């Protein structure tokens, strides 16, 4: 409702800052995906007429656990970089994740929204090394749900490949900055 009133909710201030700088925000990109798909347009119209619209997508980021230490990253998205920051200055304010509390409280079930979700988006850290993400995918029952994973694609375990086979629609957004020595310089640990 805030958006319909021309106001950005507190949770959307990151995208608002980008919009104010004339930079395409993730929210804008996502909206374009909705507007370009006639099925999603019909669903959006239906949602907007309901008094209590439920989420259609979950953006899941259990932690910043990552197996790489990329030069282009930051402590909010890489536990390895967070560890380096902590060695230099223990007052650096980095995000604190509470994965145990989330898993214990919800056990990967969102009963009020599960039936409406058509997309799950995983990011992190490296979502394929975060066990909570793998547990979530194992427990998710609707195999038609669109799964999008933002990954460095350095993890290819049998467990991960088995999870990929479970779902009908998986998109991997793979981060590739370079090849050879330049890749090794940018993506330390790959």
């Amino acid at each position: 409702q805030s958006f319909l009133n021309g106001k950005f909710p507190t949770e959307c201030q990151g995208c608002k800052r980008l919009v104010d700088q004339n930079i395409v925000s993730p929210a804008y990109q996502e909206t374009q995906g909705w507007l370009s798909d006639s099925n999603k347009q019909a669903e959006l119209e239906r949602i907007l007429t309901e008094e209590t619209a439920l989420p259609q997508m979950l953006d899941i980021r259990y932690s910043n656990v990552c197996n790489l230490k990329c030069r282009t990253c930051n402590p909010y998205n890489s536990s390895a970089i967070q560890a380096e920051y902590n060695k230099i200055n223990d007052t650096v304010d980095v995000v604190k994740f509470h994965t145990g509390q989330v898993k214990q409280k919800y056990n990967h079930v969102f009963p009020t929204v599960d039936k409406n979700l058509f997309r799950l988006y995983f990011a992190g850290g490296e979502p394929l090394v975060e066990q909570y993400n793998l547990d979530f995918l194992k427990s998710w029952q609707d195999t038609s749900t669109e799964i999008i994973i933002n990954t460095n694609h350095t993890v290819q375990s049998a467990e991960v490949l088995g999870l990929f086979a479970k779902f009908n629609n998986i998109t991997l957004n793979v981060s590739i900055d370079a090849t050879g020595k330049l890749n090794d310089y940018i993506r330390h640990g790959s």
Side-chain angles (χ1 to χ4, degrees), residues 63-66 70 72-86 92-97 124-125:
S63 76
N64 67 342
V65 171
C66 190
C70 303
T72 55
C73 201
N74 59 66
Y76 297 98
N77 295 306
S78 171
S79 55
I81 293 176
Q82 179 180 347
E84 292 294 321
Y85 271 64
N86 291 344
V92 174
D93 184 25
V94 293
V95 69
K96 303 284 190 258
F97 291 93

Side-chain angles (χ1 to χ4, degrees), residues 35-52:
L35 296 176
S36 65
D37 183 322
S38 60
N39 292 331
K40 289 179 186 173
Q41 280 180 358
E43 182 64 10
L44 185 57
E45 290 295 326
R46 184 189 66 75
I47 292 167
L48 290 175
T49 60
E50 293 179 1
E51 285 197 29
T52 56

Side-chain angles (χ1 to χ4, degrees), residues 137 143-144 147 149 157-170 172:
L137 288 169
T143 58
S144 67
I147 307 295
I149 302 172
S157 68
E159 179 182 23
V160 168
L161 294 175
L163 287 171
F164 289 173
K166 175 181 173 179
F167 294 96
N168 302 330
N169 185 1
I170 289 192
L172 298 178

Side-chain angles (χ1 to χ4, degrees), residues 1 7 19 25 27 33 45 49 52 93 103 139 142 146 148-149 154 157 160 168 170-171:
Q1 189 62 43
K7 296 183 173 125
V19 169
S25 70
E45 290 295 326
T49 60
T52 56
D93 184 25
K103 184 179 183 206
S139 69
D142 186 354
E146 179 184 9
I148 301 174
I149 302 172
T154 59
S157 68
V160 168
N168 302 330
I170 289 192
T171 300

